[in-house]
Amino acid sequence: MGASAPAPDCGRCDAVCCRLTVVLQPEDRIPPHLSARTAAGLEVMARDEEGWCVAVDATRMQCSIYHSRPQVCRRFAMAGPYCLEVRADYADRNARGIPLRLY
Ligand code: SF4
């Protein structure tokens, strides 16, 4: 990354973490129409053609199931090492015009 990037803030982010693969855990209670099964047999949050989790409310840029979101999402720390890494990768791909595709 070149010039200093703005500090991470979920209110100003493109929901980059909500484009990552979210593997569901047995204790997660997700409406069936929001989940999918990978070729490897993992149950995950379903994603749309652009890679966004289908639970993203695009109008409000918020998780539409925030209070019952998966454990993986609950553990994702804003401004944590993984957040910073995926934001940097996203910014780099956008700068080079490469569509984000994580699986
Ligand atoms: S369930 Fe909610 S927090 Fe988790 S990836 Fe989807 S939109 Fe984001």
Side-chain angles (χ1 to χ4, degrees), residues 24-29:
L24 297 175
Q25 307 298 305
E27 63 269 30
D28 289 329
R29 297 286 173 265

Side-chain angles (χ1 to χ4, degrees), residues 15-63:
V16 176
C17 58
C18 295
R19 298 180 195 214
L20 298 173
T21 300
V22 174
V23 178
L24 297 175
Q25 307 298 305
E27 63 269 30
D28 289 329
R29 297 286 173 265
I30 305 303
H33 69 280
L34 298 179
S35 68
R37 193 166 292 277
T38 69
L42 290 173
E43 190 176 7
V44 297
M45 288 301 295
R47 297 195 299 178
D48 66 19
E49 312 82 49
E50 296 175 350
W52 295 63
C53 173
V54 295
V56 172
D57 177 343
T59 305
R60 298 181 178 164
M61 288 305 292
Q62 294 177 348
C63 175

